[in-house]
Amino acid sequence: MKIAKDCVVTLDYTLTDEDGEILDSSEGDGPLVYLHGHGDIVPGLERALAGHQSGDRIQADVGPEDGYGEWDEDLVEVVGKEDFDDPDELEIGAQFEVDTDEGVRVATIIEMEGDEITVDLNHPLAGMQLHFDVTVRDVRAASAEELAHGHVHEHPHA
Ligand code: ZN
């Protein structure tokens, strides 16, 4: 079966940056399972996978416009130390989830000066040239229930 809209696809993947540094991989977490055609994965990778089938290996180079977006200076904010639950735990590079108008975002602390903490709300992979090395492990049609919910059911849920 070929990958098309409304397929459930299982992938092994390694994600590297321009320098070949590994950013993420299915090796530790197990394969990625996603619903094709529903924006579950970045557009550049989704497009590269379309039409492939189980056993295929695909290399895809994905720029920010087809990946996690351009890095946006407006998403850098200075906040006060008192805004954090655990001010003692703060350090440069620390990441935490924050609720914003556009949903949950990952914030990264990029600067600390006294009580002023500079956080970057860009996606950690924003602005990056990404290289995916992907092997398709399985392709199946999504069930009616999965399509109704808009996500994959690997394990039954209430
Ligand atoms: Zn569901």
PDB file of all heavy atoms in Angstrom, residues 59-96:
ATOM      1  N   GLN A  59      15.518   9.947   1.882  1.00  0.00           N
ATOM      2  CA  GLN A  59      16.310  11.039   2.453  1.00  0.00           C
ATOM      3  C   GLN A  59      15.593  12.329   2.065  1.00  0.00           C
ATOM      4  O   GLN A  59      15.333  12.548   0.890  1.00  0.00           O
ATOM      5  CB  GLN A  59      17.711  11.065   1.836  1.00  0.00           C
ATOM      6  CG  GLN A  59      18.392   9.715   1.751  1.00  0.00           C
ATOM      7  CD  GLN A  59      19.278   9.432   2.941  1.00  0.00           C
ATOM      8  OE1 GLN A  59      19.619  10.344   3.692  1.00  0.00           O
ATOM      9  NE2 GLN A  59      19.651   8.182   3.124  1.00  0.00           N
ATOM     10  N   ALA A  60      15.293  13.160   3.020  1.00  0.00           N
ATOM     11  CA  ALA A  60      14.594  14.404   2.712  1.00  0.00           C
ATOM     12  C   ALA A  60      15.292  15.586   3.377  1.00  0.00           C
ATOM     13  O   ALA A  60      15.552  15.559   4.582  1.00  0.00           O
ATOM     14  CB  ALA A  60      13.142  14.321   3.179  1.00  0.00           C
ATOM     15  N   ASP A  61      15.613  16.598   2.574  1.00  0.00           N
ATOM     16  CA  ASP A  61      16.140  17.847   3.118  1.00  0.00           C
ATOM     17  C   ASP A  61      14.993  18.832   3.241  1.00  0.00           C
ATOM     18  O   ASP A  61      14.302  19.107   2.260  1.00  0.00           O
ATOM     19  CB  ASP A  61      17.230  18.413   2.202  1.00  0.00           C
ATOM     20  CG  ASP A  61      18.518  17.630   2.361  1.00  0.00           C
ATOM     21  OD1 ASP A  61      19.025  17.579   3.496  1.00  0.00           O
ATOM     22  OD2 ASP A  61      18.987  17.046   1.370  1.00  0.00           O
ATOM     23  N   VAL A  62      14.801  19.342   4.431  1.00  0.00           N
ATOM     24  CA  VAL A  62      13.647  20.194   4.702  1.00  0.00           C
ATOM     25  C   VAL A  62      14.131  21.523   5.276  1.00  0.00           C
ATOM     26  O   VAL A  62      14.782  21.562   6.315  1.00  0.00           O
ATOM     27  CB  VAL A  62      12.692  19.482   5.694  1.00  0.00           C
ATOM     28  CG1 VAL A  62      11.550  20.399   6.094  1.00  0.00           C
ATOM     29  CG2 VAL A  62      12.152  18.186   5.078  1.00  0.00           C
ATOM     30  N   GLY A  63      13.819  22.604   4.565  1.00  0.00           N
ATOM     31  CA  GLY A  63      14.171  23.945   5.045  1.00  0.00           C
ATOM     32  C   GLY A  63      13.122  24.461   6.012  1.00  0.00           C
ATOM     33  O   GLY A  63      12.059  23.860   6.162  1.00  0.00           O
ATOM     34  N   PRO A  64      13.390  25.590   6.665  1.00  0.00           N
ATOM     35  CA  PRO A  64      12.458  26.132   7.658  1.00  0.00           C
ATOM     36  C   PRO A  64      11.046  26.329   7.117  1.00  0.00           C
ATOM     37  O   PRO A  64      10.064  26.109   7.826  1.00  0.00           O
ATOM     38  CB  PRO A  64      13.068  27.489   8.016  1.00  0.00           C
ATOM     39  CG  PRO A  64      14.505  27.377   7.664  1.00  0.00           C
ATOM     40  CD  PRO A  64      14.594  26.419   6.512  1.00  0.00           C
ATOM     41  N   GLU A  65      10.932  26.733   5.825  1.00  0.00           N
ATOM     42  CA  GLU A  65       9.601  27.016   5.274  1.00  0.00           C
ATOM     43  C   GLU A  65       8.737  25.754   5.193  1.00  0.00           C
ATOM     44  O   GLU A  65       7.515  25.837   5.241  1.00  0.00           O
ATOM     45  CB  GLU A  65       9.716  27.712   3.909  1.00  0.00           C
ATOM     46  CG  GLU A  65      10.271  26.871   2.764  1.00  0.00           C
ATOM     47  CD  GLU A  65      11.805  26.686   2.797  1.00  0.00           C
ATOM     48  OE1 GLU A  65      12.454  27.139   3.768  1.00  0.00           O
ATOM     49  OE2 GLU A  65      12.342  26.075   1.861  1.00  0.00           O
ATOM     50  N   ASP A  66       9.389  24.586   5.091  1.00  0.00           N
ATOM     51  CA  ASP A  66       8.649  23.319   5.081  1.00  0.00           C
ATOM     52  C   ASP A  66       8.864  22.524   6.356  1.00  0.00           C
ATOM     53  O   ASP A  66       8.510  21.356   6.445  1.00  0.00           O
ATOM     54  CB  ASP A  66       9.095  22.454   3.896  1.00  0.00           C
ATOM     55  CG  ASP A  66       8.619  23.005   2.576  1.00  0.00           C
ATOM     56  OD1 ASP A  66       7.505  23.545   2.531  1.00  0.00           O
ATOM     57  OD2 ASP A  66       9.375  22.894   1.599  1.00  0.00           O
ATOM     58  N   GLY A  67       9.504  23.191   7.318  1.00  0.00           N
ATOM     59  CA  GLY A  67       9.814  22.504   8.567  1.00  0.00           C
ATOM     60  C   GLY A  67       9.122  23.167   9.740  1.00  0.00           C
ATOM     61  O   GLY A  67       7.898  23.240   9.783  1.00  0.00           O
ATOM     62  N   TYR A  68       9.907  23.712  10.658  1.00  0.00           N
ATOM     63  CA  TYR A  68       9.337  24.292  11.867  1.00  0.00           C
ATOM     64  C   TYR A  68       9.262  25.809  11.824  1.00  0.00           C
ATOM     65  O   TYR A  68       9.147  26.465  12.849  1.00  0.00           O
ATOM     66  CB  TYR A  68      10.133  23.811  13.082  1.00  0.00           C
ATOM     67  CG  TYR A  68       9.969  22.327  13.320  1.00  0.00           C
ATOM     68  CD1 TYR A  68      10.868  21.413  12.797  1.00  0.00           C
ATOM     69  CD2 TYR A  68       8.871  21.848  14.036  1.00  0.00           C
ATOM     70  CE1 TYR A  68      10.703  20.053  12.998  1.00  0.00           C
ATOM     71  CE2 TYR A  68       8.690  20.491  14.247  1.00  0.00           C
ATOM     72  CZ  TYR A  68       9.621  19.600  13.720  1.00  0.00           C
ATOM     73  OH  TYR A  68       9.445  18.260  13.919  1.00  0.00           O
ATOM     74  N   GLY A  69       9.346  26.373  10.613  1.00  0.00           N
ATOM     75  CA  GLY A  69       9.189  27.817  10.471  1.00  0.00           C
ATOM     76  C   GLY A  69      10.501  28.567  10.634  1.00  0.00           C
ATOM     77  O   GLY A  69      11.501  28.018  11.088  1.00  0.00           O
ATOM     78  N   GLU A  70      10.477  29.835  10.213  1.00  0.00           N
ATOM     79  CA  GLU A  70      11.649  30.692  10.380  1.00  0.00           C
ATOM     80  C   GLU A  70      11.759  31.091  11.847  1.00  0.00           C
ATOM     81  O   GLU A  70      10.766  31.169  12.563  1.00  0.00           O
ATOM     82  CB  GLU A  70      11.503  31.966   9.520  1.00  0.00           C
ATOM     83  CG  GLU A  70      11.403  31.720   8.036  1.00  0.00           C
ATOM     84  CD  GLU A  70      12.723  31.257   7.409  1.00  0.00           C
ATOM     85  OE1 GLU A  70      13.769  31.306   8.088  1.00  0.00           O
ATOM     86  OE2 GLU A  70      12.685  30.836   6.236  1.00  0.00           O
ATOM     87  N   TRP A  71      12.969  31.367  12.268  1.00  0.00           N
ATOM     88  CA  TRP A  71      13.190  31.863  13.623  1.00  0.00           C
ATOM     89  C   TRP A  71      12.663  33.295  13.707  1.00  0.00           C
ATOM     90  O   TRP A  71      12.981  34.113  12.851  1.00  0.00           O
ATOM     91  CB  TRP A  71      14.676  31.795  13.961  1.00  0.00           C
ATOM     92  CG  TRP A  71      14.949  32.018  15.399  1.00  0.00           C
ATOM     93  CD1 TRP A  71      14.873  31.081  16.401  1.00  0.00           C
ATOM     94  CD2 TRP A  71      15.336  33.245  16.018  1.00  0.00           C
ATOM     95  NE1 TRP A  71      15.186  31.652  17.601  1.00  0.00           N
ATOM     96  CE2 TRP A  71      15.478  32.982  17.398  1.00  0.00           C
ATOM     97  CE3 TRP A  71      15.577  34.532  15.548  1.00  0.00           C
ATOM     98  CZ2 TRP A  71      15.843  33.965  18.306  1.00  0.00           C
ATOM     99  CZ3 TRP A  71      15.939  35.516  16.454  1.00  0.00           C
ATOM    100  CH2 TRP A  71      16.073  35.230  17.824  1.00  0.00           C
ATOM    101  N   ASP A  72      11.828  33.572  14.687  1.00  0.00           N
ATOM    102  CA  ASP A  72      11.143  34.862  14.768  1.00  0.00           C
ATOM    103  C   ASP A  72      11.586  35.629  16.020  1.00  0.00           C
ATOM    104  O   ASP A  72      11.369  35.181  17.146  1.00  0.00           O
ATOM    105  CB  ASP A  72       9.625  34.593  14.810  1.00  0.00           C
ATOM    106  CG  ASP A  72       8.817  35.871  14.860  1.00  0.00           C
ATOM    107  OD1 ASP A  72       9.414  36.974  14.931  1.00  0.00           O
ATOM    108  OD2 ASP A  72       7.580  35.767  14.835  1.00  0.00           O
ATOM    109  N   GLU A  73      12.205  36.773  15.774  1.00  0.00           N
ATOM    110  CA  GLU A  73      12.722  37.582  16.877  1.00  0.00           C
ATOM    111  C   GLU A  73      11.629  38.007  17.852  1.00  0.00           C
ATOM    112  O   GLU A  73      11.867  38.196  19.042  1.00  0.00           O
ATOM    113  CB  GLU A  73      13.417  38.815  16.289  1.00  0.00           C
ATOM    114  CG  GLU A  73      14.405  39.446  17.231  1.00  0.00           C
ATOM    115  CD  GLU A  73      15.044  40.695  16.633  1.00  0.00           C
ATOM    116  OE1 GLU A  73      15.095  40.796  15.391  1.00  0.00           O
ATOM    117  OE2 GLU A  73      15.470  41.546  17.418  1.00  0.00           O
ATOM    118  N   ASP A  74      10.413  38.171  17.337  1.00  0.00           N
ATOM    119  CA  ASP A  74       9.308  38.609  18.196  1.00  0.00           C
ATOM    120  C   ASP A  74       8.928  37.567  19.244  1.00  0.00           C
ATOM    121  O   ASP A  74       8.162  37.859  20.163  1.00  0.00           O
ATOM    122  CB  ASP A  74       8.063  38.920  17.351  1.00  0.00           C
ATOM    123  CG  ASP A  74       8.281  40.155  16.483  1.00  0.00           C
ATOM    124  OD1 ASP A  74       9.209  40.934  16.789  1.00  0.00           O
ATOM    125  OD2 ASP A  74       7.543  40.318  15.499  1.00  0.00           O
ATOM    126  N   LEU A  75       9.434  36.354  19.059  1.00  0.00           N
ATOM    127  CA  LEU A  75       9.099  35.297  20.016  1.00  0.00           C
ATOM    128  C   LEU A  75      10.126  35.200  21.145  1.00  0.00           C
ATOM    129  O   LEU A  75      10.100  34.276  21.945  1.00  0.00           O
ATOM    130  CB  LEU A  75       8.969  33.943  19.298  1.00  0.00           C
ATOM    131  CG  LEU A  75       7.764  33.839  18.351  1.00  0.00           C
ATOM    132  CD1 LEU A  75       7.798  32.529  17.584  1.00  0.00           C
ATOM    133  CD2 LEU A  75       6.464  33.958  19.127  1.00  0.00           C
ATOM    134  N   VAL A  76      11.026  36.169  21.181  1.00  0.00           N
ATOM    135  CA  VAL A  76      11.971  36.247  22.299  1.00  0.00           C
ATOM    136  C   VAL A  76      11.428  37.260  23.294  1.00  0.00           C
ATOM    137  O   VAL A  76      11.101  38.384  22.928  1.00  0.00           O
ATOM    138  CB  VAL A  76      13.373  36.654  21.812  1.00  0.00           C
ATOM    139  CG1 VAL A  76      14.307  36.877  22.999  1.00  0.00           C
ATOM    140  CG2 VAL A  76      13.936  35.584  20.880  1.00  0.00           C
ATOM    141  N   GLU A  77      11.295  36.848  24.550  1.00  0.00           N
ATOM    142  CA  GLU A  77      10.709  37.722  25.567  1.00  0.00           C
ATOM    143  C   GLU A  77      11.558  37.730  26.827  1.00  0.00           C
ATOM    144  O   GLU A  77      12.183  36.735  27.163  1.00  0.00           O
ATOM    145  CB  GLU A  77       9.318  37.206  25.964  1.00  0.00           C
ATOM    146  CG  GLU A  77       8.251  37.445  24.915  1.00  0.00           C
ATOM    147  CD  GLU A  77       6.937  36.785  25.308  1.00  0.00           C
ATOM    148  OE1 GLU A  77       6.707  36.579  26.513  1.00  0.00           O
ATOM    149  OE2 GLU A  77       6.165  36.480  24.387  1.00  0.00           O
ATOM    150  N   VAL A  78      11.532  38.889  27.500  1.00  0.00           N
ATOM    151  CA  VAL A  78      12.191  38.964  28.793  1.00  0.00           C
ATOM    152  C   VAL A  78      11.114  38.888  29.876  1.00  0.00           C
ATOM    153  O   VAL A  78      10.131  39.624  29.835  1.00  0.00           O
ATOM    154  CB  VAL A  78      12.990  40.280  28.933  1.00  0.00           C
ATOM    155  CG1 VAL A  78      13.614  40.375  30.328  1.00  0.00           C
ATOM    156  CG2 VAL A  78      14.072  40.350  27.858  1.00  0.00           C
ATOM    157  N   VAL A  79      11.290  37.955  30.785  1.00  0.00           N
ATOM    158  CA  VAL A  79      10.321  37.803  31.876  1.00  0.00           C
ATOM    159  C   VAL A  79      11.070  37.859  33.209  1.00  0.00           C
ATOM    160  O   VAL A  79      12.296  37.754  33.254  1.00  0.00           O
ATOM    161  CB  VAL A  79       9.536  36.471  31.751  1.00  0.00           C
ATOM    162  CG1 VAL A  79       8.613  36.507  30.551  1.00  0.00           C
ATOM    163  CG2 VAL A  79      10.482  35.288  31.650  1.00  0.00           C
ATOM    164  N   GLY A  80      10.290  38.027  34.256  1.00  0.00           N
ATOM    165  CA  GLY A  80      10.896  38.122  35.589  1.00  0.00           C
ATOM    166  C   GLY A  80      11.085  36.755  36.213  1.00  0.00           C
ATOM    167  O   GLY A  80      10.328  35.822  35.951  1.00  0.00           O
ATOM    168  N   LYS A  81      12.098  36.656  37.027  1.00  0.00           N
ATOM    169  CA  LYS A  81      12.387  35.407  37.730  1.00  0.00           C
ATOM    170  C   LYS A  81      11.180  34.947  38.551  1.00  0.00           C
ATOM    171  O   LYS A  81      10.920  33.756  38.686  1.00  0.00           O
ATOM    172  CB  LYS A  81      13.577  35.643  38.669  1.00  0.00           C
ATOM    173  CG  LYS A  81      14.486  34.463  38.822  1.00  0.00           C
ATOM    174  CD  LYS A  81      15.720  34.856  39.618  1.00  0.00           C
ATOM    175  CE  LYS A  81      16.752  33.749  39.524  1.00  0.00           C
ATOM    176  NZ  LYS A  81      18.058  34.134  40.050  1.00  0.00           N
ATOM    177  N   GLU A  82      10.444  35.934  39.084  1.00  0.00           N
ATOM    178  CA  GLU A  82       9.304  35.606  39.952  1.00  0.00           C
ATOM    179  C   GLU A  82       8.166  34.916  39.200  1.00  0.00           C
ATOM    180  O   GLU A  82       7.262  34.360  39.801  1.00  0.00           O
ATOM    181  CB  GLU A  82       8.796  36.879  40.656  1.00  0.00           C
ATOM    182  CG  GLU A  82       8.159  37.929  39.756  1.00  0.00           C
ATOM    183  CD  GLU A  82       9.171  38.817  39.016  1.00  0.00           C
ATOM    184  OE1 GLU A  82      10.394  38.595  39.168  1.00  0.00           O
ATOM    185  OE2 GLU A  82       8.732  39.714  38.265  1.00  0.00           O
ATOM    186  N   ASP A  83       8.229  34.965  37.856  1.00  0.00           N
ATOM    187  CA  ASP A  83       7.184  34.299  37.071  1.00  0.00           C
ATOM    188  C   ASP A  83       7.352  32.780  37.041  1.00  0.00           C
ATOM    189  O   ASP A  83       6.495  32.067  36.525  1.00  0.00           O
ATOM    190  CB  ASP A  83       7.193  34.813  35.627  1.00  0.00           C
ATOM    191  CG  ASP A  83       6.763  36.280  35.558  1.00  0.00           C
ATOM    192  OD1 ASP A  83       6.042  36.711  36.471  1.00  0.00           O
ATOM    193  OD2 ASP A  83       7.158  36.949  34.598  1.00  0.00           O
ATOM    194  N   PHE A  84       8.460  32.303  37.546  1.00  0.00           N
ATOM    195  CA  PHE A  84       8.716  30.864  37.486  1.00  0.00           C
ATOM    196  C   PHE A  84       8.406  30.195  38.818  1.00  0.00           C
ATOM    197  O   PHE A  84       8.609  30.786  39.880  1.00  0.00           O
ATOM    198  CB  PHE A  84      10.185  30.609  37.118  1.00  0.00           C
ATOM    199  CG  PHE A  84      10.531  31.045  35.726  1.00  0.00           C
ATOM    200  CD1 PHE A  84      10.912  32.357  35.461  1.00  0.00           C
ATOM    201  CD2 PHE A  84      10.447  30.147  34.673  1.00  0.00           C
ATOM    202  CE1 PHE A  84      11.224  32.765  34.171  1.00  0.00           C
ATOM    203  CE2 PHE A  84      10.752  30.555  33.384  1.00  0.00           C
ATOM    204  CZ  PHE A  84      11.143  31.858  33.132  1.00  0.00           C
ATOM    205  N   ASP A  85       7.915  28.964  38.735  1.00  0.00           N
ATOM    206  CA  ASP A  85       7.578  28.212  39.945  1.00  0.00           C
ATOM    207  C   ASP A  85       8.841  27.861  40.745  1.00  0.00           C
ATOM    208  O   ASP A  85       8.835  27.877  41.962  1.00  0.00           O
ATOM    209  CB  ASP A  85       6.843  26.910  39.583  1.00  0.00           C
ATOM    210  CG  ASP A  85       5.484  27.202  38.955  1.00  0.00           C
ATOM    211  OD1 ASP A  85       4.949  28.301  39.229  1.00  0.00           O
ATOM    212  OD2 ASP A  85       4.977  26.351  38.208  1.00  0.00           O
ATOM    213  N   ASP A  86       9.892  27.499  40.018  1.00  0.00           N
ATOM    214  CA  ASP A  86      11.128  27.075  40.675  1.00  0.00           C
ATOM    215  C   ASP A  86      12.296  27.950  40.221  1.00  0.00           C
ATOM    216  O   ASP A  86      13.138  27.510  39.449  1.00  0.00           O
ATOM    217  CB  ASP A  86      11.458  25.611  40.328  1.00  0.00           C
ATOM    218  CG  ASP A  86      10.491  24.639  40.965  1.00  0.00           C
ATOM    219  OD1 ASP A  86      10.276  24.765  42.188  1.00  0.00           O
ATOM    220  OD2 ASP A  86       9.977  23.768  40.240  1.00  0.00           O
ATOM    221  N   PRO A  87      12.366  29.180  40.740  1.00  0.00           N
ATOM    222  CA  PRO A  87      13.411  30.104  40.263  1.00  0.00           C
ATOM    223  C   PRO A  87      14.828  29.539  40.436  1.00  0.00           C
ATOM    224  O   PRO A  87      15.729  29.890  39.696  1.00  0.00           O
ATOM    225  CB  PRO A  87      13.218  31.341  41.151  1.00  0.00           C
ATOM    226  CG  PRO A  87      11.845  31.225  41.704  1.00  0.00           C
ATOM    227  CD  PRO A  87      11.546  29.767  41.795  1.00  0.00           C
ATOM    228  N   ASP A  88      15.003  28.646  41.383  1.00  0.00           N
ATOM    229  CA  ASP A  88      16.339  28.098  41.628  1.00  0.00           C
ATOM    230  C   ASP A  88      16.762  27.105  40.552  1.00  0.00           C
ATOM    231  O   ASP A  88      17.934  26.791  40.407  1.00  0.00           O
ATOM    232  CB  ASP A  88      16.394  27.403  42.993  1.00  0.00           C
ATOM    233  CG  ASP A  88      16.154  28.402  44.124  1.00  0.00           C
ATOM    234  OD1 ASP A  88      16.421  29.600  43.910  1.00  0.00           O
ATOM    235  OD2 ASP A  88      15.706  27.961  45.193  1.00  0.00           O
ATOM    236  N   GLU A  89      15.792  26.587  39.829  1.00  0.00           N
ATOM    237  CA  GLU A  89      16.082  25.570  38.817  1.00  0.00           C
ATOM    238  C   GLU A  89      16.465  26.182  37.472  1.00  0.00           C
ATOM    239  O   GLU A  89      16.801  25.469  36.539  1.00  0.00           O
ATOM    240  CB  GLU A  89      14.836  24.694  38.580  1.00  0.00           C
ATOM    241  CG  GLU A  89      14.238  24.118  39.836  1.00  0.00           C
ATOM    242  CD  GLU A  89      14.838  22.761  40.174  1.00  0.00           C
ATOM    243  OE1 GLU A  89      14.578  21.808  39.415  1.00  0.00           O
ATOM    244  OE2 GLU A  89      15.573  22.680  41.163  1.00  0.00           O
ATOM    245  N   LEU A  90      16.380  27.496  37.375  1.00  0.00           N
ATOM    246  CA  LEU A  90      16.575  28.138  36.078  1.00  0.00           C
ATOM    247  C   LEU A  90      18.026  28.083  35.633  1.00  0.00           C
ATOM    248  O   LEU A  90      18.945  28.330  36.419  1.00  0.00           O
ATOM    249  CB  LEU A  90      16.131  29.605  36.156  1.00  0.00           C
ATOM    250  CG  LEU A  90      14.664  29.823  36.523  1.00  0.00           C
ATOM    251  CD1 LEU A  90      14.373  31.310  36.624  1.00  0.00           C
ATOM    252  CD2 LEU A  90      13.761  29.169  35.490  1.00  0.00           C
ATOM    253  N   GLU A  91      18.232  27.756  34.362  1.00  0.00           N
ATOM    254  CA  GLU A  91      19.579  27.821  33.798  1.00  0.00           C
ATOM    255  C   GLU A  91      19.469  27.983  32.293  1.00  0.00           C
ATOM    256  O   GLU A  91      18.445  27.645  31.691  1.00  0.00           O
ATOM    257  CB  GLU A  91      20.385  26.564  34.151  1.00  0.00           C
ATOM    258  CG  GLU A  91      19.733  25.286  33.657  1.00  0.00           C
ATOM    259  CD  GLU A  91      20.567  24.059  34.016  1.00  0.00           C
ATOM    260  OE1 GLU A  91      21.692  24.216  34.497  1.00  0.00           O
ATOM    261  OE2 GLU A  91      20.062  22.946  33.795  1.00  0.00           O
ATOM    262  N   ILE A  92      20.521  28.505  31.697  1.00  0.00           N
ATOM    263  CA  ILE A  92      20.516  28.701  30.253  1.00  0.00           C
ATOM    264  C   ILE A  92      20.402  27.351  29.554  1.00  0.00           C
ATOM    265  O   ILE A  92      21.084  26.398  29.922  1.00  0.00           O
ATOM    266  CB  ILE A  92      21.787  29.471  29.821  1.00  0.00           C
ATOM    267  CG1 ILE A  92      21.644  30.931  30.266  1.00  0.00           C
ATOM    268  CG2 ILE A  92      21.983  29.390  28.303  1.00  0.00           C
ATOM    269  CD1 ILE A  92      22.871  31.769  30.061  1.00  0.00           C
ATOM    270  N   GLY A  93      19.494  27.293  28.590  1.00  0.00           N
ATOM    271  CA  GLY A  93      19.284  26.039  27.867  1.00  0.00           C
ATOM    272  C   GLY A  93      18.117  25.235  28.409  1.00  0.00           C
ATOM    273  O   GLY A  93      17.643  24.320  27.750  1.00  0.00           O
ATOM    274  N   ALA A  94      17.642  25.587  29.608  1.00  0.00           N
ATOM    275  CA  ALA A  94      16.506  24.860  30.189  1.00  0.00           C
ATOM    276  C   ALA A  94      15.266  25.094  29.333  1.00  0.00           C
ATOM    277  O   ALA A  94      15.049  26.194  28.827  1.00  0.00           O
ATOM    278  CB  ALA A  94      16.266  25.313  31.622  1.00  0.00           C
ATOM    279  N   GLN A  95      14.469  24.056  29.154  1.00  0.00           N
ATOM    280  CA  GLN A  95      13.259  24.166  28.343  1.00  0.00           C
ATOM    281  C   GLN A  95      12.038  23.818  29.181  1.00  0.00           C
ATOM    282  O   GLN A  95      12.096  22.952  30.045  1.00  0.00           O
ATOM    283  CB  GLN A  95      13.333  23.217  27.143  1.00  0.00           C
ATOM    284  CG  GLN A  95      14.428  23.629  26.168  1.00  0.00           C
ATOM    285  CD  GLN A  95      14.440  22.782  24.918  1.00  0.00           C
ATOM    286  OE1 GLN A  95      14.104  21.614  24.954  1.00  0.00           O
ATOM    287  NE2 GLN A  95      14.830  23.386  23.809  1.00  0.00           N
ATOM    288  N   PHE A  96      10.947  24.499  28.921  1.00  0.00           N
ATOM    289  CA  PHE A  96       9.708  24.221  29.635  1.00  0.00           C
ATOM    290  C   PHE A  96       8.534  24.589  28.736  1.00  0.00           C
ATOM    291  O   PHE A  96       8.686  25.334  27.777  1.00  0.00           O
ATOM    292  CB  PHE A  96       9.666  24.994  30.960  1.00  0.00           C
ATOM    293  CG  PHE A  96       9.986  26.454  30.820  1.00  0.00           C
ATOM    294  CD1 PHE A  96       8.976  27.376  30.650  1.00  0.00           C
ATOM    295  CD2 PHE A  96      11.311  26.885  30.814  1.00  0.00           C
ATOM    296  CE1 PHE A  96       9.271  28.712  30.477  1.00  0.00           C
ATOM    297  CE2 PHE A  96      11.609  28.228  30.649  1.00  0.00           C
ATOM    298  CZ  PHE A  96      10.588  29.146  30.477  1.00  0.00           C
TER     299      PHE A  96
END
